Amino acid sequence: MVRALLAVVTLVLALAGTGLATAGGASAASTRGGPITRSEIIARAQYWVDHQPGPYDQGGYSPGPGGDFDYRRDCSGYVSMAWHLDANAWTGSLSDAYTYPIERGDLRPGDILNNYTEHVFIFDRWLDGDGGFSYYSFGSTPVRHLTANIGDASLDGHPNGSFSARRYHNVIEDSAVTPHPYQSGRMVSGRDADGRLETFVAGPGGVWHTWQLWANGGWSEWVDEGGPANAQLAIAPNRDGRLEVFALNGTTLDHMWQTAPNAGWSGWAGLGGGGSRIAAGGNADGRIEVFASGPTGVFHTWQTAPNGAFAAWAGLGGPAAARLQMESAPDGRLEVFALSDTTFGHLYQTAPNGGWSAWDAFGGGGRDLTVNHNTDGRLEVFASNGTGVFHRWQTGPTGWSGWTGTDGGAAGSELSSARSADGRIEVFAINGSTATHLWQTAVNGDWSPWETFGTGGTGVAATTNQDGRLEVLGSSGAGVFHRWQTGFSTWSGWSWLNSTAGPALA
């Protein structure tokens, strides 16, 4: 079924009235090269619209508001001015040194759409329910505030597909926005600081690893990383952009980490004893928090400082031997969902970076679960059992719907979910005989019928490329395969990731 690219209507619309400032408000609240709010970025961008700096000239320089630095009069110099950098960056260094990739559906005021070698412009805000947005550009004289549509063939005179959505490392949210955890399981994927996906699969002999050779591109050959056999995996980013992987089996919990952003990996190091399932995610302040279940309940550990060492394990009670997933609320609080064969528990931070609530009784037992966030921030939870797939969703910041059927889905299935480029959640379910798929028909909206996505297997993991296209991994006793979106609504067939099938997951 071909579906049109739907609207990207995010919380930015609700924040736009407070996020935009007048040019008169562009006086520096930030220091040059330091943290800066989104509202100040937009105010500084507007300053050069209202006070034209002079003609486009890659050899010409003009001051920003406050006059504390002269910025180059071209597209990347304009971004440097708006971000109040202490240097004049170019399009390549904006990617390499100052930003990390985000999904287009997560664009917020002051983020950029960057073509590495040719052009960059500043995202302002979403305008409507059809993908329209406004932006600031200094691609030619004069500096301008313009509009476009995220689905246009070209953006600001360059091919749409040449742009990467990116976020400044030092941006401060005018309201709290959290990093969203990656899904845990036997197959996990996380995104490098440069936009490439890194995928880990736990096989009977240890953990296997493959990575994209370039953002949105082909995959390396499989590498045997050793580590715990038949493990459950979780992956999370450190605050500095380095990914960290956690591997738990019945006797040990080990972890390894990138030695620098986009770089190679450390060896395995012990982090605890054995258990059942694991999940990891980032606190609002960037510290990783890890949860593991075992025969007596759920335990957790956390980094005592961003990028740092972990605290001693602490018990939280909760369902024994539960399957775990994490998500984050719009204000940055982490939420944990724990599903065992007999019960479903839920707990949450009582404040961003803070302590934890008591467990809520969230439902009965089941097979597997997946959790994701709507564009408006409300969480959506899916769980499978022997009769199909069911879901609950937040009706507001603290309220939840009851459990509702999805009119089918693969019974007794493994589940995964990811967000499409326009912010809609898509859910994937696989059991021993079939793979199925359903999706939101509108942002924050209702759901399609289930559609066949392939034959049976043992696991599924969905992730998102830098350009917003979904990529889905499926495992079986024959190895690991993948399908990927060839556009925003069309899919490839199933194939190996590289020249071999990879580890078999029975």
Side-chain angles (χ1 to χ4, degrees):
M1 179 183 298
V2 177
R3 291 168 282 136
L5 178 63
L6 298 174
V8 190
V9 184
T10 69
L11 288 173
V12 174
L13 289 171
L15 296 171
T18 57
L20 300 178
T22 65
S27 57
S30 61
T31 58
R32 197 167 69 243
I36 186 170
T37 63
R38 294 191 180 280
S39 56
E40 187 182 346
I41 291 171
I42 295 303
R44 291 176 66 88
Q46 184 66 37
Y47 182 85
W48 269 15
V49 173
D50 296 337
H51 304 82
Q52 289 290 323
Y56 180 96
D57 180 359
Q58 293 183 330
Y61 296 82
S62 294
D68 60 349
F69 196 76
D70 288 342
Y71 293 96
R72 195 175 55 246
R73 294 199 304 266
D74 63 7
C75 60
S76 50
Y78 184 36
V79 172
S80 302
M81 186 279 293
W83 286 353
H84 205 183
L85 301 184
D86 58 359
N88 279 286
W90 66 284
T91 51
S93 64
L94 286 173
S95 285
D96 294 339
Y98 292 98
T99 64
Y100 59 94
I102 59 173
E103 298 178 25
R104 289 188 175 192
D106 287 336
L107 281 164
R108 294 173 56 80
D111 293 336
I112 58 172
L113 284 159
N114 189 42
N115 176 318
Y116 189 92
T117 59
E118 296 182 4
H119 188 46
V120 62
F121 59 87
I122 301 167
F123 182 86
D124 177 15
R125 60 191 177 95
W126 300 106
L127 297 175
D128 54 39
D130 297 314
F133 67 96
S134 59
Y135 66 97
Y136 290 91
S137 176
F138 197 2
S140 60
T141 307
V143 183
R144 291 174 291 178
H145 185 231
L146 302 165
T147 62
N149 190 285
I150 199 67
D152 289 343
S154 64
L155 296 175
D156 213 37
H158 297 264
N160 186 315
S162 69
F163 287 98
S164 167
R166 305 192 69 87
R167 180 161 294 159
Y168 180 34
H169 285 299
N170 277 346
V171 71
I172 300 171
E173 302 292 344
D174 292 289
S175 62
V177 174
T178 67
H180 290 277
Y182 295 116
Q183 183 160 318
S184 57
R186 295 187 70 187
M187 301 182 292
V188 296
S189 288
R191 190 181 298 162
D192 275 321
D194 62 8
R196 295 176 300 113
L197 292 172
E198 303 238 8
T199 293
F200 294 82
V201 176
V207 179
W208 291 77
H209 176 206
T210 181
W211 58 91
Q212 286 183 323
L213 301 171
W214 62 92
N216 312 311
W219 293 84
S220 74
E221 296 301 322
W222 289 101
V223 173
D224 183 355
E225 300 286 3
N230 293 313
Q232 294 289 326
L233 304 176
I235 188 168
N238 280 279
R239 185 173 176 177
D240 61 8
R242 295 176 302 112
L243 293 174
E244 193 151 349
V245 174
F246 305 85
L248 173 73
N249 66 12
T251 59
T252 188
L253 169 57
D254 290 347
H255 67 139
M256 67 175 184
W257 54 89
Q258 287 180 313
T259 56
N262 312 313
W265 292 80
S266 71
W268 291 99
L271 192 62
S276 301
R277 300 295 181 104
I278 190 167
N283 278 284
D285 60 10
R287 293 176 303 109
I288 296 173
E289 192 133 359
V290 182
F291 284 75
S293 66
T296 61
V298 178
F299 298 79
H300 74 137
T301 182
W302 56 93
Q303 286 179 323
T304 56
N307 314 311
F310 285 87
W313 286 91
L316 289 166
R323 303 152 189 89
L324 302 175
Q325 297 294 345
M326 296 174 68
E327 248 292 2
S328 50
D331 63 0
R333 293 175 302 107
L334 290 170
E335 305 207 19
V336 176
F337 299 84
L339 175 68
S340 73
D341 292 340
T342 58
T343 190
F344 201 154
H346 167 226
L347 85 167
Y348 47 87
Q349 286 180 317
T350 55
N353 312 310
W356 292 86
S357 71
W359 287 95
D360 284 340
F362 202 68
R367 166 75 180 187
D368 197 21
L369 75 158
T370 185
V371 187
N372 221 302
H373 62 286
N374 281 285
T375 301
D376 61 12
R378 294 176 303 107
L379 302 187
E380 193 119 10
V381 180
F382 287 78
S384 62
N385 64 15
T387 62
V389 179
F390 299 80
H391 72 138
R392 290 185 74 178
W393 59 93
Q394 283 184 317
T395 56
T398 58
W400 289 86
S401 72
W403 284 101
T404 302
T406 60
D407 295 326
S413 56
E414 301 292 314
L415 300 175
S416 188
S417 60
R419 294 177 72 230
S420 62
D422 59 3
R424 293 171 300 108
I425 302 171
E426 307 207 16
V427 179
F428 303 86
I430 192 168
N431 64 15
S433 58
T434 188
T436 56
H437 168 218
L438 89 167
W439 56 88
Q440 285 180 315
T441 57
V443 174
N444 307 316
D446 292 331
W447 295 86
S448 72
W450 289 95
E451 185 176 273
T452 299
F453 199 69
T455 56
T458 57
V460 65
T463 189
T464 307
N465 280 284
Q466 182 191 45
D467 61 10
R469 293 177 303 108
L470 302 188
E471 192 135 357
V472 179
L473 306 175
S475 64
S476 72
V480 178
F481 301 81
H482 71 144
R483 290 185 73 179
W484 60 95
Q485 285 183 319
T486 53
F488 288 117
S489 59
T490 56
W491 291 85
S492 72
W494 288 100
S495 67
W496 294 346
L497 278 79
N498 41 52
S499 66
T500 64
L505 299 186

